[in-house]
Amino acid sequence: MGVLCEAMVLISQAQKKGDPTVITVNCPDKTGVGCDLSRIILLFGLSISRGDASTDGKWCYIVFWVVGKPTTRWNLLKNRLLEVCPSYLSTSGLQYYQPEDQHLKPPDLFLLKFWCSYHRKGLLHDVTEVLCELELTIERVKVSLAPDGRVMDLFFVTDSRELLHTKKRQEETTSYLKAAIGETFISCEIELAGPEVMACSQGSPYLPFGITEEMFNLELPNSLQTGVLASNSISIAVDNNLSHSHTLVQILCLDHKGLIYDIMRTLKDYNIQISYWRFFANPKGNCEVDLFIMQTDGKKIIDPNKQNAMCSRLRMELLRPLRVAVASKGPDTELW
């Protein structure tokens, strides 16, 4: 009997300046795996200059050509990519014995609370960079600025190493934060976040209706409906004649950071499976994307209403990849 294989991630770093780093992923397939992988790459500050992927419905083979910064922690990136790859056993339908005490449980959530003597530009950036380096995942953040200028930040985090409950790991985290913040650092406390702590810190998980209506309306603003950007920079074509089993979506657009993630996330939201995709961006910033897709029932997307809804959402994501709204909440101003 053969051994069941799990996901594999290979990273071939660029040999000379200007060349891309090649990331190869071979893992079990599932709807949205391309979205999950491209999100991790985006979070590491990398830009995807080219991509290619194919699947037989069970296993997928994906290659990303990425451009980043010399400080990228490639080993950490590899671990993060492996974390989001589906396991063979989770996608094969096989059942196997697993003792009750070995079932996977969600990681423990910790409250990291620290004080600074005064606020400075780039403080939040420096802290989040340190937490990422320590392999701590930020789930929620609350930043408070006292009238006297002192800062108290609350970070709700999980630990990829599952060691944050130990004194050594907490001292390591505190030491890194102190070095990053500098002389303004006052103190740091780390504790397991119990239900009562979460209840006190939780705000509403939903955006106000007016903001969601403005930010996620699929109707293009007048300035984009008639402008050069809308008419000349984006083309989305749907073809059901080229393939007997798949719908082909061809996109021509201008490149922006996170483009592949925006496209993959949209298709994942519509529960669309991608059997093959290819992405290429030329030096001038023009992009070509080909996607062979189908519904979860294995059929093409024939319904014109479904096609129009998908294309409208894709067009909005490509035209407005970043949407920002400002709302007043009591004495505070919130940026969404």
Side-chain angles (χ1 to χ4, degrees), residues 163-174:
L163 294 172
L164 199 53
H165 63 282
T166 65
K167 183 178 180 181
K168 181 179 179 180
R169 179 71 161 148
Q170 292 184 6
E171 289 177 347
E172 177 191 31
T173 302
T174 301

Side-chain angles (χ1 to χ4, degrees), residues 152-206:
M152 183 183 74
D153 289 354
L154 305 179
F155 285 81
F156 293 88
V157 300
T158 58
D159 186 7
S160 298
R161 303 180 193 171
E162 299 185 349
L163 294 172
L164 199 53
H165 63 282
T166 65
K167 183 178 180 181
K168 181 179 179 180
R169 179 71 161 148
Q170 292 184 6
E171 289 177 347
E172 177 191 31
T173 302
T174 301
S175 175
Y176 271 69
L177 285 171
K178 187 175 182 180
I181 296 171
E183 60 183 15
T184 63
F185 179 87
I186 297 177
S187 64
C188 175
E189 296 178 5
I190 302 174
E191 62 183 34
L192 189 65
E196 67 284 351
V197 176
M198 288 302 299
C200 293
S201 66
Q202 286 281 5
S204 171
Y206 304 105

Side-chain angles (χ1 to χ4, degrees), residues 40-57:
I40 297 299
I41 292 173
L42 176 62
L43 290 175
F44 272 73
L46 304 174
S47 297
I48 302 173
S49 61
R50 183 181 166 194
D52 206 330
S54 61
T55 178
D56 61 0

Side-chain angles (χ1 to χ4, degrees), residues 135-156:
E135 299 182 51
L136 299 175
T137 302
I138 302 171
E139 304 291 343
R140 184 181 175 87
V141 180
K142 185 174 182 181
V143 179
S144 301
L145 185 63
D148 61 1
R150 288 185 300 170
V151 178
M152 183 183 74
D153 289 354
L154 305 179
F155 285 81
F156 293 88

Side-chain angles (χ1 to χ4, degrees), residues 64 221-222 292:
F64 297 98
N222 292 331
F292 286 84

Side-chain angles (χ1 to χ4, degrees), residues 63-283:
V63 183
F64 297 98
W65 285 260
V66 302
V67 179
K69 46 192 178 181
T71 56
T72 300
R73 298 189 64 195
W74 298 108
N75 287 334
L76 178 57
L77 172 61
K78 179 178 179 178
N79 291 335
R80 290 284 189 259
L81 291 172
L82 284 170
E83 286 175 5
V84 299
C85 287
S87 68
Y88 177 83
L89 292 170
S90 69
T91 58
S92 64
L94 294 178
Q95 301 295 323
Y96 63 100
Y97 174 72
Q98 186 179 28
E100 290 186 5
D101 59 352
Q102 291 187 13
H103 282 297
L104 295 177
K105 67 180 184 71
D108 290 329
L109 188 67
F110 289 85
L111 171 61
L112 188 154
K113 178 167 48 177
F114 70 88
W115 291 263
C116 300
S117 57
Y118 64 86
H119 182 65
R120 63 170 174 80
K121 185 177 180 180
L123 176 62
L124 188 60
H125 169 270
D126 294 343
V127 173
T128 54
E129 193 171 48
V130 166
L131 297 182
C132 179
E133 184 179 351
L134 289 166
E135 299 182 51
L136 299 175
T137 302
I138 302 171
E139 304 291 343
R140 184 181 175 87
V141 180
K142 185 174 182 181
V143 179
S144 301
L145 185 63
D148 61 1
R150 288 185 300 170
V151 178
M152 183 183 74
D153 289 354
L154 305 179
F155 285 81
F156 293 88
V157 300
T158 58
D159 186 7
S160 298
R161 303 180 193 171
E162 299 185 349
L163 294 172
L164 199 53
H165 63 282
T166 65
K167 183 178 180 181
K168 181 179 179 180
R169 179 71 161 148
Q170 292 184 6
E171 289 177 347
E172 177 191 31
T173 302
T174 301
S175 175
Y176 271 69
L177 285 171
K178 187 175 182 180
I181 296 171
E183 60 183 15
T184 63
F185 179 87
I186 297 177
S187 64
C188 175
E189 296 178 5
I190 302 174
E191 62 183 34
L192 189 65
E196 67 284 351
V197 176
M198 288 302 299
C200 293
S201 66
Q202 286 281 5
S204 171
Y206 304 105
L207 295 173
F209 174 75
I211 293 179
T212 56
E213 186 177 37
E214 176 185 352
M215 294 177 70
F216 300 102
N217 183 10
L218 294 182
E219 292 294 329
L220 296 179
N222 292 331
S223 59
L224 295 179
Q225 286 177 342
T226 58
V228 175
L229 179 62
S231 60
N232 295 335
S233 66
I234 294 179
S235 170
I236 302 176
V238 178
D239 187 338
N240 278 308
N241 297 319
L242 189 63
S243 170
H244 71 278
S245 57
H246 293 83
T247 295
L248 169 62
V249 177
Q250 294 179 300
I251 302 174
L252 302 176
C253 63
L254 296 178
D255 192 16
H256 66 256
K257 196 165 188 176
L259 172 67
I260 288 298
Y261 171 62
D262 291 337
I263 294 173
M264 296 296 174
R265 186 190 70 246
T266 299
L267 297 180
K268 181 180 180 180
D269 289 346
Y270 279 88
N271 208 22
I272 291 174
Q273 296 179 346
I274 306 173
S275 296
Y276 171 80
W277 64 268
R278 180 188 67 86
F279 165 78
F280 174 74
N282 65 25

